């Protein structure tokens, strides 16, 4: 059999190897496709309109049929749900809305029975204000050990009436809230990088460290395969909490200038004294040692909005975490040069520390990728889309979204999928504002719509109440009518459906061992606007994404394994393959 590189070689073709394949058995997380379940919105077992653990357990078969390797569950802990569970009041219990500890045990057991791994979300930067520790801190006096678990400070000004520094919350407004002391007087201030109900812990306090080590063990003992570590670049703040003139935005807003650019800068990074301080690494080294005591390749994945990629790679050094989300990739605009740079840099930065690279296009904090790609600036990063905002082009977005997915799943490393993306689900871009629940909406004084639009419950069947999400037809956020067209039951066994495309991609990825594969850029394949094409070889598979205005013709005796859209001359490829604009193909040599 000729190699794909030999088959496509032409006088003008050059290749550049940027990442080598790994041979032999590798830990699961180096190559895994990990599916994010957002518990509120996946499947409602008890009919209250909010997804729950029993609902998830009952639907796990969907994930094995899809062909993913692991599941990441967003928080299910006891919580007042002011930030959809990212405000934890008890790290060792399940919120009644989601079920019980027994339900969690059953979910863990069923996941493992089906051969899937399970990662849970850990929220160590802050607790809920309803956490017993914070309640005790409010009742205790300034300088007490109870207050020392959080970041309480005296205010500035003659009567302490101004916040201790000028930091702003990621969700908008000040990052400080003043408390009333036991004697009724206006008192100290506490830091919350997120909502007022999410007080930041003080990670210089050994008691905080000991508590989280114990929480890790609690869940490791119950059998989870790892943790997604929320805001892992935020735990340690610069000494003295110096003023910071910039915004402390994490997910949105801070980089709007950069976002609008086509030059490949991605705007995924945070700067400022609240983020990415060197002290965080000591914590992850400790956690690494804790996980290493357990069998079965347990893993940590960093949610760290850190740039550049070499800085992010510090979180995945051999004695720290196993993976970090690649938000630089997620926030890259739909531009061939930008995509090429971010892919090259991602692989180089992670290879340098012997870590796996991850890829991700959607999650519960970002506008869904088909909708981002249907915007005027394809791949832009708006903080939510609502009525009155410029609306994405739904069909174009889906078309490009599918191409982006096949580009991602062709890359070596580990990939994250967000529930519903296997259906091609768009953002709910016309959610009524009075239904919004993300604190971003009011904390930004109604300027940023926030993240509800990507959190709308999943449509399972077109004809059922709440599209099969809930037996009673209730749904905590209303689903748009167009979800009927995306429901799973309209796509199963339908050739060319987005669901079947994902399934085939995951099967081929496994068959061709793309996860542990290689990456070599291929240039000069097509004479037409070669700079508009992202072309690489991973092991025996050639992946071509055409971002230019013209169809690209590939010659050679080729076989199309998979394409993100119908091709003009079919899939046979005897006379070469034509790749239209905004399409990705996976090709190999005919043999
Ligand atoms: C992370 C979560 C986000 C949450 C924030 C605060 O970014 O992904 O949903 O609001 O942390 O916990
Ligand atoms: Mg429910």
């Amino acid at each position: 059999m000729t190699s794909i590189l030999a088959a496509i070689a032409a006088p003008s073709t050059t290749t550049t190897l940027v990442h080598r394949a790994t041979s032999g058995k590798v830990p699961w997380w180096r190559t895994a496709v990990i599916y994010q379940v957002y518990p509120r919105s996946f499947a409602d077992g008890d009919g209250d309109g909010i997804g729950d653990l029993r609902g998830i357990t009952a639907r796990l078969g969907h994930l094995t049929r899809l062909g993913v390797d692991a599941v990441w569950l967003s928080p299910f802990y006891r919580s007042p749900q002011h930030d959809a569970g990212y405000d934890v009041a008890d790290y060792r219990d399940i919120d009644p809305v989601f079920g019980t500890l027994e339900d969690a045990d059953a979910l863990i057991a069923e996941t493992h029975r089906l051969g899937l791994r399970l990662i849970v979300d850990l929220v160590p930067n802050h607790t809920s204000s309803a956490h017993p520790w914070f309640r005790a801190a409010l009742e205790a006096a300034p300088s007490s050990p109870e207050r020392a678990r959080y970041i309480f400070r005296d205010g500035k000004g003659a009567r302490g009436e101004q916040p201790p520094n000028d930091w702003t919350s990621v969700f908008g407004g000040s990052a400080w809230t003043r408390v009333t002391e036991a004697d009724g007087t206006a008192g100290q201030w506490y830091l919350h990088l997120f909502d007022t109900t999410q007080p930041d812990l003080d990670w210089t306090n050994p008691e905080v460290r000991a508590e989280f080590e114990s929480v890790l063990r609690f869940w490791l003992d119950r059998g989870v395969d790892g943790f997604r570590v929320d805001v892992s670049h935020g735990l340690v703040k610069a000494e003295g909490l110096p003023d910071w003139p910039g915004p402390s935005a994490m997910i949105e807003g801070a980089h709007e200038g950069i976002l609008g650019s086509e030059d490949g800068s991605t705007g995924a990074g945070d700067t400022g004294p609240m983020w990415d301080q060197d002290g965080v690494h000591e914590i992850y080294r400790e956690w690494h040692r804790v996980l290493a005591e357990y069998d079965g390749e347990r893993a940590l994945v960093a949610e760290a909005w850190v740039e550049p990629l070499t800085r992010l790679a510090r979180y995945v050094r051999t004695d720290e975490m196993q993976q970090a989300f690649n938000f630089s990739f997620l926030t890259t605009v739909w531009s061939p040069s930008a995509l090429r740079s971010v892919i090259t840099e991602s692989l180089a930065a992670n290879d340098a520390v012997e870590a796996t690279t991850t890829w991700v296009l959607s999650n519960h904090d970002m506008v869904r990728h088909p909708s981002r790609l249907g915007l005027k600036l394809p791949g832009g990063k708006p903080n939510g889309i609502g009525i009155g905002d410029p609306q994405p082009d739904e069909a174009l977005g889906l078309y490009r979204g599918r191409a982006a997915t096949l580009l991602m799943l062709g890359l070596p490393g580990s990939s994250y999928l967000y529930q519903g993306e296997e259906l091609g689900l768009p953002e709910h871009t016309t959610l009524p504002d009075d239904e919004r629940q993300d604190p971003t909406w009011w904390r930004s004084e109604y300027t940023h719509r926030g993240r509800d639009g990507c959190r709308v419950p999943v449509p399972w069947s077109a004809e059922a109440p709440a599209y099969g999400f809930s037996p009673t037809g209730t749904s905590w956020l209303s689903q748009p009518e167009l979800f009927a067209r995306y429901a799973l039951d309209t796509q199963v066994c339908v050739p060319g459906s987005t669901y079947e495309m994902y399934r085939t991609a995951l099967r081929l990825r496994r068959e061709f061992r793309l996860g542990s594969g290689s990456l070599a850029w291929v240039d000069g394949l097509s004479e037409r606007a070669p700079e508009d094409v992202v072309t690489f070889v991973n092991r025996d598979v050639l992946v071509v994404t055409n971002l230019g205005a013209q169809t690209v013709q590939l010659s050679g005796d080729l076989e199309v394994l998979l394409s993100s859209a119908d091709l003009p001359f079919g899939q046979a490829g005897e006379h070469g393959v034509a790749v239209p604009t905004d399409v990705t193909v996976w090709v190999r040599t005919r043999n």
Side-chain angles (χ1 to χ4, degrees):
M1 183 178 109
T2 36
S3 80
I4 185 76
L5 280 173
I8 56 176
S12 58
T13 312
T14 57
T15 59
T16 320
L17 182 69
V18 298
H19 174 79
R20 282 177 202 286
T22 16
S23 52
K25 193 175 159 357
V26 294
W28 68 273
W29 38 264
R30 286 200 78 98
T31 61
V33 174
I34 304 171
Y35 184 99
Q36 179 187 359
V37 167
Y38 192 67
R40 297 181 78 78
S41 304
F42 190 65
D44 177 18
D46 64 4
D48 66 351
I50 304 179
D52 44 49
L53 299 189
R54 284 177 182 224
I56 298 168
T57 306
R59 290 277 187 189
L60 285 177
H62 170 63
L63 303 188
T64 49
R65 282 189 290 278
L66 184 61
V68 301
D69 305 291
V71 182
W72 150 35
L73 276 189
S74 281
F76 48 35
Y77 311 103
R78 202 173 265 279
S79 159
Q81 307 286 326
H82 289 300
D83 184 22
Y86 283 94
D87 48 324
V88 180
D90 184 348
Y91 292 86
R92 296 180 185 80
D93 201 2
I94 306 296
D95 196 87
V97 102
F98 297 130
T100 61
L101 269 180
E102 289 67 48
D103 294 335
D105 289 339
L107 172 57
I108 296 168
E110 183 62 2
T111 319
H112 289 158
R113 196 186 66 79
L114 293 171
L116 299 166
R117 306 263 181 171
L118 182 72
I119 291 178
V120 295
D121 219 309
L122 186 74
V123 189
N125 180 67
H126 43 265
T127 69
S128 158
S129 52
H131 190 285
W133 272 11
F134 192 72
R135 293 225 281 247
L138 288 183
E139 279 165 26
S143 306
S144 58
E146 287 82 2
R147 289 227 170 151
R149 293 162 178 156
Y150 294 91
I151 304 181
F152 277 86
R153 295 287 183 276
D154 294 332
K156 284 187 180 161
R159 290 175 314 283
E161 72 281 7
Q162 287 157 28
N165 73 18
D166 62 0
W167 295 4
T168 53
S169 147
V170 170
F171 296 153
S174 172
W176 295 92
T177 292
R178 195 171 192 186
V179 302
T180 306
E181 302 296 356
D183 62 5
T185 57
Q188 286 195 304
W189 300 70
Y190 67 89
L191 179 72
H192 52 87
L193 291 179
F194 296 88
D195 190 49
T196 334
T197 59
Q198 294 166 297
D200 280 52
L201 288 161
D202 185 346
W203 273 87
T204 62
N205 185 336
E207 208 187 337
V208 171
R209 295 197 182 215
E211 167 65 3
F212 274 87
E213 182 176 325
S214 151
V215 169
L216 286 175
R217 291 184 189 279
F218 179 86
W219 290 102
L220 289 166
D221 289 339
R222 290 198 111 82
V224 304
D225 296 288
F227 301 89
R228 176 263 187 193
V229 183
D230 190 63
V231 198
S232 49
H233 60 316
L235 273 50
V236 174
K237 281 79 180 170
E239 221 176 303
L241 311 179
D243 277 342
W244 169 247
S248 56
M250 183 173 76
I251 294 152
E252 79 294 331
H255 307 279
E256 264 148 15
I258 300 173
L259 284 180
S261 79
E262 298 270 354
D263 66 359
S265 34
T266 60
D270 283 320
T271 44
M274 61 293 278
W275 307 122
D276 196 27
Q277 301 297 307
D278 286 346
V280 296
H281 297 288
E282 200 190 302
I283 301 169
Y284 304 131
R285 286 195 191 103
E286 279 169 24
W287 291 7
H288 182 101
R289 288 194 290 268
V290 173
L291 266 69
E293 290 173 27
Y294 289 77
D295 59 1
E297 300 178 342
R298 319 281 176 120
L300 296 164
V301 52
E303 188 222 17
W305 292 80
V306 167
E307 263 194 335
L309 281 151
T310 46
R311 195 78 200 168
L312 181 64
R314 291 158 48 97
Y315 289 74
V316 288
R317 288 176 288 193
T318 46
D319 59 349
E320 295 194 34
M321 304 217 204
Q322 280 69 23
Q323 294 188 333
F325 288 104
N326 188 343
F327 295 124
S328 300
F329 179 71
L330 185 152
T331 53
T332 298
V333 291
W334 193 234
S335 131
S337 58
L339 286 166
R340 279 181 63 134
S341 324
V342 76
I343 293 168
T344 302
E345 285 163 26
S346 301
L347 291 166
N350 287 300
D351 283 351
V353 294
E354 293 173 38
T356 193
T357 300
T358 69
W359 312 101
V360 59
L361 287 167
S362 283
N363 66 28
H364 67 294
D365 291 326
M366 308 297 295
V367 169
R368 285 181 176 275
H369 72 274
S371 299
R372 293 204 312 274
L373 289 166
L375 290 168
K376 207 161 178 148
L377 171 68
K381 198 177 69 152
N383 188 348
I385 301 174
I387 296 165
D389 289 336
Q391 294 289 308
D393 179 327
E394 185 190 338
L396 177 63
L398 177 60
Y399 197 78
R400 282 187 183 144
R402 291 168 50 121
T405 294
L406 286 196
L407 168 64
M408 173 175 87
L409 292 176
L411 293 167
S414 168
S415 276
Y416 278 82
L417 306 180
Y418 175 48
Q419 65 181 33
E421 74 166 87
E422 75 279 23
L423 309 176
L425 212 60
E427 185 85 356
H428 188 345
T429 57
T430 54
L431 183 73
D433 286 337
D434 58 10
E435 278 193 46
R436 293 193 181 278
Q437 307 220 3
D438 182 354
T440 304
W441 179 226
W442 49 91
R443 288 198 63 91
S444 70
E445 288 171 1
Y446 310 100
T447 54
H448 293 305
R449 286 212 155 77
R451 302 161 294 173
D452 296 303
C454 64
R455 299 175 174 180
V456 176
V458 169
W460 297 94
S461 32
E463 305 291 333
Y467 305 117
F469 163 68
S470 169
T472 57
T474 40
S475 168
W476 70 281
L477 288 174
S478 60
Q479 301 155 297
E481 271 172 28
L482 60 82
F483 269 27
R485 283 190 267 123
Y486 293 86
L488 176 66
D489 69 348
T490 66
Q491 301 199 36
V492 173
C493 294
V494 175
S497 71
T498 304
Y499 168 73
E500 293 298 343
M501 182 196 85
Y502 269 77
R503 238 165 70 88
T504 308
L506 296 186
R507 178 174 55 75
L508 292 171
R509 208 184 125 85
R510 205 179 290 254
E511 208 171 297
F512 287 86
R513 294 179 301 132
L514 300 184
S516 60
S518 55
L519 188 130
W521 293 118
V522 182
D523 286 295
L525 245 196
S526 148
E527 281 155 31
R528 273 207 183 145
E531 70 277 7
D532 288 345
V533 190
V534 175
T535 313
F536 62 88
V537 168
N538 178 350
R539 293 199 192 261
D540 296 323
V541 178
L542 172 73
V543 177
V544 180
T545 303
N546 181 6
L547 293 97
Q550 321 252 358
T551 294
V552 166
Q553 188 67 39
L554 309 173
S555 47
D557 196 9
L558 304 174
E559 179 190 348
V560 177
L561 294 165
L562 181 61
S563 63
S564 65
D566 288 340
L567 301 178
F569 309 116
Q571 315 277 113
E574 291 103 328
H575 309 295
V577 175
V579 189
T581 300
D582 289 332
V583 170
T584 297
V585 293
W586 291 10
V587 168
R588 70 160 169 181
T589 51
R590 186 175 289 288
N591 52 64

